[in-house]
Amino acid sequence: MLKKLKKAVIFFLSVLMIFSIPAGPALAGPPASLEEAKAAANQELLEKFGVPDYFTNTNISGKPLRRHELAEPGYGYYVLTWGDPHGDIRDGHRRYVGYTKLDEDFTNPTFPHDAWAGGKLEDRNWIRYPWDNKELQQRYNIKGNKFDGRPELLWHIQAGLIIKYSDVSLLAQSPMWEHWHEYVHIMVPPTEYSWGMGRMWHKLPDGSIWYISIPLAPKALDIEKPDFSVTLDKHQVQAKTGDTIEFVATFALNADHPRAETAKLTAFHVVGGSQFQVTLEPLGSADKLNSDGTIEFQPGEQKKFKIRVTAQGQKSKVVVKINPWSVAYDANWANNSDEALITVEKLPPPSTGSGELVLQAYSYPGKDLRGNYQPSKPRPVNTAKWSDDVTATLTVKKPRPPRGTLDWWEISSAKLTYPKRNPSFSFGRPLPPQGTVTVNMKVPGRADPDTDELKATAKFVEDWAMDGFPVYSMIDGKQLTTEKPKDYPVTATYTVRYQYHYVVCDEDGDCETIYVTAEDTRTATQNLRVTGAGTVPYAS
């Protein structure tokens, strides 16, 4: 979350470094003393803006002018400010390096940034011409000056945004890119060698106002611009949730640049609205990054790094960036980042394969229609005659879990449903069945993952139909059955329970085994064709 007003919201993305300035008339080197720095800065502001003696010995509150060297590695040069550093301390740095000429707090360029609330700079409702805004003037004592709104300072503002906000700004792609000077209040103007500081405010829907501070880069940083670039080896990957995906990022410095330069390399895994920094693993033994993520490039040099991320349960992307560190600008910002889209395969539903139901009928031993005794014998599969004993066998294939490895499986329950005999049914009056009967099937025990199939069984008597044996009912006055056989559905409802496991690893290589117990309930139906009557009852 952004800190409330009085706590600057500064998202410093570390860039900018010490570098040597070639000698010449325009760049003779930074002044050596406070007096020289003061004289040089005042002469420059007079020539460029017509403002004489801006850097006075004291500000309006009597605080003395100071030259504050920026001790943070990579910044170089200095700040001309009034009074002493003040405010809270973080990592050895005061929040404010001093005061402005009009006695405003001067934010320290090297103070570690406060938390960023997400989104892009351009998403905020920035207040245009804040130095003329009465609400800001009344609430925060903002005082306009002769540098506010000056297009001559646009480059210094843009460079400050690049240095500190490149990861949270559209930069040159922003519609505000050429207009930022209309939003940034100049607290202290920058010069050839001294840093300046600006500030801009945005308003939330609830009426609260927040600000961020913008370091205004010295013009000396605008030297021959390097062209850093980065490319990923692939730009779209499809994976399963939990899969580890590897990319190779190639970072480079243009071959025609006249000197070695340092850059800061970063990689992020962006999931939803959050981004997580991931490790860049050098493929070359000499390419280990410094602790701050920087590394030096020779002209034309390429450096390759491996990136590992874990596919999440939604779309995500990998973003890699290279930002200048030894200079403030880049010749082509369009190739300073690259990204790859990760799409997630939909997990297949847990599958137990097809359950197959087979009905095997056996004739009941007894006399046939001619009065001859017949022993029990099997009928053709899935056919039966009235009075037959029927064995139902359900064969279930081994389950296929949605991911990982199967540990064990079982048929946890199985029931068989078949037609129910009409309560008024008799041999001479074979009325059609009414309703159904459901019985439990006998199931085996738990199986190991090498077992390919399990079987459940149940027995019943086909006592509900005599189709295929013609019967005319004198009571009903109609033909109840004919010589034509008839199919009756028999259904097995079964549940397969199983356990599987899989391994998930995060970006740091820490892995965890996940165990999952799942169930899948299905049905298998087989028609039993009734083809007549088996035995015939005789009165004694």
Side-chain angles (χ1 to χ4, degrees), residues 334-370:
N335 60 7
N336 283 64
S337 66
D338 199 11
E339 60 184 54
L341 178 66
I342 301 173
T343 58
V344 179
E345 297 178 11
K346 289 186 176 180
L347 293 176
S351 172
T352 58
S354 299
E356 182 183 15
L357 184 63
V358 175
L359 305 173
Q360 178 62 65
Y362 297 88
S363 63
Y364 189 80
K367 295 180 180 179
D368 61 18
L369 294 175
R370 296 179 177 80

Side-chain angles (χ1 to χ4, degrees), residues 2-3 5 7-11 115-131 133 135-136 142 157 161 165 168-171 174-177 179-185 198-205 208-214:
L2 291 173
K3 300 290 185 182
L5 272 169
K7 294 190 177 179
V9 183
I10 309 172
F11 191 89
W116 185 253
K120 297 291 186 183
L121 273 177
E122 292 76 10
D123 298 337
R124 273 63 169 169
N125 181 27
W126 297 107
I127 298 175
R128 195 178 186 188
Y129 307 129
W131 50 89
N133 186 281
E135 183 179 11
L136 292 179
I142 295 175
I157 296 171
L161 291 171
Y165 297 96
V168 293
S169 173
L170 298 176
L171 297 179
S174 168
M176 303 176 71
W177 186 243
H179 303 280
W180 280 121
H181 61 290
E182 299 171 2
Y183 297 86
V184 177
H185 165 51
R199 185 170 290 168
M200 57 184 183
W201 291 257
H202 67 94
K203 197 168 190 176
L204 297 182
S208 60
I209 296 177
W210 303 64
Y211 74 79
I212 63 172
S213 295
I214 311 293

Side-chain angles (χ1 to χ4, degrees), residues 323-432:
N323 287 318
W325 178 263
S326 54
V327 293
Y329 231 86
D330 192 280
N332 177 19
W333 287 99
N335 60 7
N336 283 64
S337 66
D338 199 11
E339 60 184 54
L341 178 66
I342 301 173
T343 58
V344 179
E345 297 178 11
K346 289 186 176 180
L347 293 176
S351 172
T352 58
S354 299
E356 182 183 15
L357 184 63
V358 175
L359 305 173
Q360 178 62 65
Y362 297 88
S363 63
Y364 189 80
K367 295 180 180 179
D368 61 18
L369 294 175
R370 296 179 177 80
N372 299 318
Y373 177 83
Q374 298 291 338
S376 176
K377 60 182 181 181
R379 306 287 188 191
V381 174
N382 299 326
T383 69
K385 296 181 182 294
W386 177 74
S387 77
D388 282 356
D389 293 320
V390 182
T391 298
T393 302
L394 172 68
T395 302
V396 179
K397 299 295 184 182
K398 178 173 64 176
R400 184 186 68 246
R403 63 189 299 187
T405 303
L406 183 68
D407 297 319
W408 53 260
W409 69 289
E410 64 185 3
I411 304 175
S412 58
S413 67
K415 296 181 181 295
L416 190 73
T417 300
Y418 54 87
K420 183 178 182 180
R421 175 190 173 107
N422 191 301
S424 299
F425 182 99
S426 66
F427 183 79
R429 193 179 179 220
L431 296 173

Side-chain angles (χ1 to χ4, degrees), residues 90-129:
R90 189 181 303 170
D91 296 341
H93 301 281
R94 287 282 187 183
R95 180 177 290 273
Y96 303 110
V97 73
Y99 298 85
T100 70
K101 185 171 184 175
L102 298 180
D103 214 37
E104 302 160 301
D105 291 325
F106 191 139
T107 302
N108 187 346
T110 64
F111 186 80
H113 66 80
D114 292 320
W116 185 253
K120 297 291 186 183
L121 273 177
E122 292 76 10
D123 298 337
R124 273 63 169 169
N125 181 27
W126 297 107
I127 298 175
R128 195 178 186 188
Y129 307 129

Side-chain angles (χ1 to χ4, degrees), residues 450-478:
D450 295 327
T451 302
D452 292 329
E453 61 183 32
L454 292 175
K455 297 180 184 295
T457 59
K459 293 184 178 181
F460 62 91
V461 176
E462 195 287 271
D463 61 355
W464 65 81
M466 296 173 61
D467 300 273
F469 179 69
V471 176
Y472 181 86
S473 172
M474 299 295 293
I475 298 175
D476 300 290
K478 62 180 180 179

